[in-house]
Amino acid sequence: MYASAPSTELAWEKYYPSHISWDHPLTPKPLYSFLDESVRKFPDRPAVDFMGRKFSYAEIGDLVERAAEGFRQLGVRKGARVGICLPNCPYQVVSFYAILKAGGVVVNFNPLYTPRELASQARDAGVDIMVTIDVEAVYPKVRELLNDATLKRVVVVRMQDCLSSFKGMLFSAFKRKEISHIPNDMQHVPFSKLISYGKLEHLEPVVPEHDLAVLQYTGGTTGLPKGAMLTHGNLAANTQQIMAWMPDLREGEEKILGVLPFFHVFAMSVVLNLGVAVGAEMILLPRFELDQVLKTLHKKRPTLFPGVPTIYTAINGAKDLKKYDLSSISYCISGGAPLPVEVKREFERLTGCVLVEGYGLTEASPVLTCNPLNNRSADKAGAIGLPVPGTRIEMRSLEDPAQVVRVGEKGELCARGPQVMRGYWERPEENERVFVDGWLRTADVGYMDEDGYIFLVDRIKDMIICSGFNVYPRVIEEAIYLHPAVAQVAVIGVPDAYRGESPKAFIKLREGASVTEKELTDFLEEKISRIEMPRFFEFRSELPVTMIGKLSKKALQEEEEAKRASGEAVTKASA
């Protein structure tokens, strides 16, 4: 078991949901053991449903054993980093657990990355084997990496093999231009060849608290992308923490919708690892398309639907929503970005489900806190919840991270727990900065109330300094979301000759709605201070989002920088 601090030290424990214990036992174990247990308990239950083709837990288990032996035949040994550059599909699940069983370390790659970004990450991680798919949108970019000194082999999944016989035939016949030609040479290994060597003969011993399972790349709390070293113990602990937080989960009965990409840490833990651990049927979609998601919710009837705020916002505003039955959903956990209170309330009203906000970051596998799922009276608007079992949270001074601030005072959120990473891959200087006295510094600013609930106001790097005052974009965004015409909003800081920086709000309105800058300013006057009031508004038909569906402030900031570089005005100031 993981060691934990005495629960008497924890201010939040007396407000914990009655059915959950902060010192719930968390057992160190290899991450793939969750799959082994579900294969044993639920062999005939569907594990994956991909575009209508279903794979049972027994079938997935067999493919994992065979692929693991295939990776061993390719030279994968303990600690070898193996890349996965795939959309959500059955062979993403198989490859993930097969690499772990072979003793390797999974390195997740975003299929939408440019070849330059893929090559940079592959070089940093020392990846010499990559799993990808034979579609034109992905494979050619991976192929370019074979000219790089690091990548030596590419294991190629056929999209046709992911589909049912009928859909595979249609894909082959009508999507021929989307299929890449794969060379028949030593650098390319068809997945069918990978699984042809029989079942795994040698299982590497795992020391869960030490041995790496995933090298997950992140921008971190500052700077360029870095590989967070997540051990088997880190990820297994976080899976158990999430399970403990959801005691009403019915093993072998749940269905979980996986539209969030598995290369992202939130989906990897809250959809893939959690889904496998509870023997859930994972309904996989390769990307978020609103109509497809609504049809899938209506037809497949998942019970669990983890997502990000932009997904729930899109569903809230969907046309003809009444023709879809969304009543099967029991629980939704929102992560990746702040969940606006109005979005939460509207989604719950439309579906009858419980939607709660959780919080975490890549460096913590990722979940650190979550709001209670079964105690609506304890629901605090805007809170990111209470620490999950075995996790300790402190708010540290923004001036001196060694000092803990008082209850209700703003500080940097710092965390300890069995899910916190070993450190960044080959970044000793970054590790010195991100840890203080063994506590992970998150660079998120917030406060803890007297009940132990945690509220975030923003990230340190997103904080806007206006005339010497700290202004937090999240506070402004929450106020703007209260206006009924607003569908989405993102606030960033832009240069201001007088104040140093000023807030600028980028807004997407609901379909058919309208509002002027003056009307919006009048609406906000009693909700935020004068220093927080945006000086600039820009209304758009769409706002940029990342692959996971988060609003991309980085893209907006880059656009503003490009405008300034070209001499273009930021925008017209509001009244």
Side-chain angles (χ1 to χ4, degrees), residues 490-506:
V491 173
I492 65 170
V494 296
D496 183 306
Y498 177 67
R499 298 200 290 178
E501 279 188 301
S502 285
K504 177 176 180 179
F506 296 83

Side-chain angles (χ1 to χ4, degrees), residues 75-235:
V76 173
R77 295 295 183 268
K78 192 168 184 176
R81 279 81 62 201
V82 183
I84 299 178
C85 188
L86 290 170
N88 287 5
C89 68
Y91 292 96
Q92 202 280 353
V93 178
V94 172
S95 298
F96 182 86
Y97 290 108
I99 292 166
L100 299 181
K101 281 213 150 189
V105 178
V106 171
V107 185
N108 288 311
F109 287 79
N110 183 341
L112 293 187
Y113 273 178
T114 65
R116 180 184 60 81
E117 290 171 317
L118 293 173
S120 175
Q121 184 175 316
R123 282 194 297 268
D124 189 79
V127 168
D128 59 12
I129 298 174
M130 180 90 77
V131 184
T132 192
I133 195 164
D134 68 341
V135 297
E136 276 293 296
V138 181
Y139 167 73
K141 295 186 291 188
V142 175
R143 181 184 59 212
E144 288 190 31
L145 272 62
L146 288 169
N147 300 321
D148 189 279
T150 58
L151 196 65
K152 297 178 176 61
R153 295 278 186 89
V154 178
V155 176
V156 184
V157 172
R158 293 201 318 161
M159 182 63 179
Q160 187 175 350
D161 292 341
C162 297
L163 305 169
S164 65
S165 298
F166 179 67
K167 286 187 176 179
M169 181 180 66
L170 291 178
F171 184 83
S172 179
F174 297 105
K175 300 285 187 178
R176 197 166 294 172
K177 291 183 179 179
E178 297 180 19
I179 304 173
S180 293
H181 170 72
I182 308 300
N184 182 18
D185 59 28
M186 295 295 292
Q187 290 184 305
H188 292 81
V189 181
F191 204 88
S192 58
K193 175 68 173 176
L194 185 78
I195 60 176
S196 68
Y197 297 99
K199 293 190 176 183
L200 183 66
E201 293 187 358
H202 175 75
L203 184 64
E204 291 275 10
V206 169
V207 181
E209 298 95 330
H210 179 268
D211 290 342
L212 298 187
V214 176
L215 204 54
Q216 186 72 22
Y217 275 77
T218 172
T221 55
T222 58
L224 297 171
K226 300 173 284 291
M229 296 188 290
L230 303 179
T231 66
H232 283 264
N234 292 150
L235 291 163

Side-chain angles (χ1 to χ4, degrees), residues 42-97:
F42 312 111
D44 299 325
R45 175 164 169 74
V48 174
D49 179 343
F50 181 72
M51 313 295 281
R53 182 178 178 188
K54 295 193 178 187
F55 294 73
S56 70
Y57 270 94
E59 289 173 312
I60 291 292
D62 180 70
L63 286 168
V64 166
E65 292 290 325
R66 293 177 180 278
E69 181 60 26
F71 283 121
R72 297 283 297 179
Q73 294 292 329
L74 292 180
V76 173
R77 295 295 183 268
K78 192 168 184 176
R81 279 81 62 201
V82 183
I84 299 178
C85 188
L86 290 170
N88 287 5
C89 68
Y91 292 96
Q92 202 280 353
V93 178
V94 172
S95 298
F96 182 86
Y97 290 108

Side-chain angles (χ1 to χ4, degrees), residues 21 39 50 57 191 259 323 350 481 484 510 517 544 566:
S21 170
V39 169
F50 181 72
Y57 270 94
F191 204 88
V259 66
K323 73 180 185 181
L350 290 169
Y481 267 119
R510 294 182 183 273
E517 291 184 15
S566 65

